[in-house]
Amino acid sequence: MTITGIIAEFNPFHNGHKYLLDQAEGLKIVAMSGNFMQRGEPAIVDKWIRTQMALENGADLVVELPFLVSVQAADFFGQGSVDILARLGINTLTFGTEEALDYQKIADLCTEQGAEMEKFVDNLPDSLSYPQKTQVMWKEFAGLDFSGNTPNHVLALAYAKAVAGRNIKLHPIQRQGAGYHSVDKDVDFASATALRQHQNDKDFLERFMPSIIHFEQASKVSWDDYFSLLRYQILSNPGLTTIYQVNQEMAVRIKDAIKTAQSVEELIEVVATKRYTKARVRRLLTYILVQTRESDLPAGIHVLGFTEKGRQHLKSLKGQVNLVSRIGKEPWDAMSQKADQIYQLGNPSIAEQNFGRVPIRIESN
């Protein structure tokens, strides 16, 4: 039986995501970011709303990516996500990409030359950002040339790297519609960026978002809702270098910039450099907001929801995989749960995210 894994954020869930789920085969397991995204920003609506929308539109099982997998550069995000899906027994990984490439061939290359590729990246000059280093590496080993404007392709390469040596088949789906960050409304498939930007345009949302009612009724947030909290964390922490991945240079730049910045975007603009991309700065600010320290990833996998088909699969995994379906006194992952509590501060009407919550169950999709 085909068991397909999908790595997603669904921020928010839209027709392009539904298209991806429709193209996937067999039982569909989604490993989804919690309440903070890979590029270092809060989800527009919480993880439970996004789970509900996914289950109503093709997903059979949705599990949560821990905070320290979710908010990471592409390679670490890909590796952590694939590790979780592999434990859940997937044999295929389906993903959207802007490029029509033979990713399986790239995965085979990583299996054969992974160690040399890592070494090559380690020896590149530190004046290059990490994304630039990986671009040079892909050019050298696979003859791939691409700009930084194809984020799905960058993630697809990270997935190819992560499945190297595993018995997982790659199933790329050509991305439909507008570019990743396009805010264009006159398209066949609107981007998540466009939907966030035009979140108050009901006609637009109805055209491009299935299960729209859940989105409409949900409490929404953006980085702006956390700016004063972020400011407080920066100003009240004398040593920002105790925060995960924040080095002395970044600590000085952030401390300096916060004196005059009037918004998160302004802060990112001032702090980012050639070497420290905006996405990386955004992640660092997320770590500061949540007061992230390095910690071990959780042993258990947090189940957010399932259909009857998904429930049967979970049953078949009993005893083999540590599944967490209810978070009580014992934390599932202290880091992710702290991030959720801070996420709730962005809007007082966001529901409790963990304690007493049970997986969403829908009969069929």
Side-chain angles (χ1 to χ4, degrees):
M1 172 173 147
T2 303
I3 302 173
T4 294
I6 290 168
I7 299 162
E9 296 189 320
F10 297 153
N11 184 37
F13 190 91
H14 57 63
N15 288 351
H17 298 133
K18 181 168 169 42
Y19 176 81
L20 183 68
L21 282 163
D22 289 345
Q23 299 301 304
E25 294 161 15
L27 179 88
K28 300 161 194 183
I29 303 176
V30 177
M32 187 185 80
S33 297
N35 286 322
F36 286 91
M37 303 290 100
Q38 192 252 336
R39 290 170 59 79
E41 58 194 7
I44 188 169
V45 294
D46 75 48
K47 59 190 180 187
W48 299 100
I49 307 285
R50 286 156 32 236
T51 296
Q52 180 87 39
M53 293 171 84
L55 290 171
E56 287 180 9
N57 290 282
D60 292 304
L61 171 60
V62 182
V63 299
E64 180 175 0
L65 294 176
F67 178 83
L68 275 177
V69 170
S70 200
V71 188
Q72 288 281 12
D75 279 2
F76 304 98
F77 176 80
Q79 188 63 56
S81 304
V82 167
D83 285 348
I84 288 167
L85 287 169
R87 283 161 63 196
L88 294 169
I90 68 157
N91 48 34
T92 302
L93 185 71
T94 292
F95 52 90
T97 174
E98 299 90 349
E99 305 282 341
L101 286 181
D102 186 345
Y103 288 97
Q104 201 66 53
K105 203 169 146 192
I106 294 166
D108 295 343
L109 173 77
C110 295
T111 306
E112 289 155 24
Q113 297 187 48
E116 294 98 297
M117 290 160 88
E118 292 297 323
K119 205 169 160 195
F120 180 82
V121 169
D122 290 344
N123 289 326
L124 287 170
D126 279 340
S127 57
L128 296 175
S129 67
Y130 185 73
Q132 286 169 331
K133 287 182 181 184
T134 55
Q135 267 177 280
V136 174
M137 183 268 289
W138 286 118
K139 177 103 173 86
E140 175 71 22
F141 285 83
L144 294 178
D145 224 339
F146 57 93
S147 74
N149 302 327
T150 52
N152 288 285
H153 172 51
V154 171
L155 282 172
L157 291 172
Y159 302 154
K161 223 166 145 185
V163 302
R166 299 183 194 263
N167 203 7
I168 297 173
K169 200 175 86 196
L170 294 173
H171 180 205
I173 304 291
Q174 187 78 44
R175 191 181 154 79
Q176 302 295 306
Y180 187 75
H181 291 306
S182 164
V183 291
D184 199 351
K185 287 172 140 186
D186 190 19
V187 287
D188 293 331
F189 286 85
S191 71
T193 307
L195 289 161
R196 289 194 297 274
Q197 189 149 325
H198 303 299
Q199 61 179 274
N200 298 320
D201 182 340
K202 192 171 176 181
D203 291 344
F204 179 64
L205 296 184
E206 277 178 344
R207 273 175 61 209
F208 296 110
M209 194 183 278
S211 303
I212 184 177
I213 189 161
H214 303 303
F215 181 78
E216 283 186 323
Q217 292 172 351
S219 308
K220 297 171 190 68
V221 290
S222 72
W223 245 128
D224 293 344
D225 298 303
Y226 301 90
F227 183 58
S228 57
L229 292 168
L230 174 66
R231 230 170 143 220
Y232 171 77
Q233 295 288 36
I234 294 169
L235 295 171
S236 63
N237 268 288
L240 285 180
T241 52
T242 60
I243 303 290
Y244 181 62
Q245 290 189 4
V246 178
N247 62 23
Q248 189 58 39
E249 182 191 348
M250 276 290 109
V252 169
R253 289 183 71 82
I254 291 166
K255 283 268 188 199
D256 205 39
I258 200 66
K259 292 172 189 164
T260 53
Q262 296 298 306
S263 68
V264 177
E265 281 313 310
E266 214 177 289
L267 184 61
I268 292 161
E269 207 61 54
V270 176
V271 173
T273 64
K274 251 175 122 170
R275 188 172 157 212
Y276 295 98
T277 63
K278 286 184 182 179
R280 184 165 176 195
V281 171
R282 219 178 256 113
R283 280 193 289 272
L284 293 180
L285 296 178
T286 303
Y287 298 149
I288 293 167
L289 175 72
V290 175
Q291 294 292 289
T292 311
R293 306 287 191 273
E294 193 147 5
S295 63
D296 294 332
L297 294 177
I301 297 173
H302 186 209
V303 179
L304 292 172
F306 47 79
T307 61
E308 181 51 32
K309 209 167 154 187
R311 190 183 73 80
Q312 293 297 340
H313 182 66
L314 288 174
K315 221 167 132 186
S316 75
L317 294 170
K318 269 236 163 85
Q320 303 165 51
V321 183
N322 178 354
L323 298 166
V324 177
S325 57
R326 185 194 279 267
I327 296 171
K329 266 192 204 147
E330 281 300 304
W332 157 62
D333 176 33
M335 193 66 254
S336 297
Q337 287 169 235
K338 181 167 78 156
D340 283 345
Q341 286 178 311
I342 288 163
Y343 178 78
Q344 281 180 254
L345 298 176
N347 187 325
S349 58
I350 294 175
E352 164 58 46
Q353 291 294 291
N354 292 300
F355 301 109
R357 298 290 297 252
V358 294
I360 293 167
R361 183 172 174 175
I362 70 169
E363 291 316 309
S364 62
N365 52 29

